[in-house]
Amino acid sequence: MEKTFSIIKPDGVRRNLIGQVLAKIEQAGLRITATKLVHMTKEQAEKFYEIHAKRPFYQELCEYMISGPVLVSVLEGPNAVAVYRDIMGATNPAQAEKGTIRAEFALSIGENTVHGSDSSENAKIEISHFFSEIEMVNSLTKISH
Ligand code: ATP
Ligand code: MG
């Protein structure tokens, strides 16, 4: 069982897409084992995206991520990182495969509706930014479909 970390970004929450995005996550066989709405401060967004600090879009990205509330979630399942990256689709929605979350919902390369961890190691770090152990429901992963 692997964990990954998901964010439904401000454009997704603003356009009432939480339900549709979570439905795609569940349809892919992933379990939502923790979730909540948060409105990040500038400092929290900058810390979360520290790895992108040198990229030209860093400030724009941080400003955008604090432009409204986001839904942060922990997802669990076999190969959760890869499974979620798969259903998210490419960063640029114009290149995202049909049926993926970004192909269906993303507005642009910046406002691309979702974030998903790119490795199991980064998932652990990202989860720890937002959730404590007590907020994650482990027993859910034992329920069979
Ligand atoms: P994420 O990390 O959000 O899951 P990703 O791994 O597909 O997306 P990254 O390269 O890690 O893409 O970029 C992080 C985020 O930065 C993107 O999701 C997007 O919102 C934003 N971003 C990436 N490239 C650009 C760009 N050229 N212009 C503006 N924003 C960008
Ligand atoms: Mg990334």
Side-chain angles (χ1 to χ4, degrees), residues 49 51-52 55 85 91 102 115-118 126:
Y49 278 119
I51 48 160
H52 295 316
R55 295 173 80 174
R85 299 284 301 183
T91 311
R102 283 165 168 167
H115 161 84
S117 308
D118 57 13
E126 293 174 359

Side-chain angles (χ1 to χ4, degrees), residues 13-62:
V13 174
R14 193 178 64 235
R15 290 179 293 145
N16 261 0
L17 296 172
I18 290 174
Q20 289 181 75
V21 173
L22 293 184
K24 281 187 177 289
I25 288 170
E26 292 190 325
Q27 279 154 16
L30 296 169
R31 289 273 179 195
I32 299 153
T33 57
T35 193
K36 63 186 173 191
L37 278 164
V38 297
H39 196 156
M40 279 187 265
T41 63
K42 188 81 191 293
E43 290 68 33
Q44 286 169 326
E46 285 174 352
K47 186 139 183 45
F48 180 77
Y49 278 119
E50 216 164 30
I51 48 160
H52 295 316
K54 293 208 162 63
R55 295 173 80 174
F57 55 82
Y58 177 64
Q59 274 310 319
E60 182 192 335
L61 175 61
C62 292

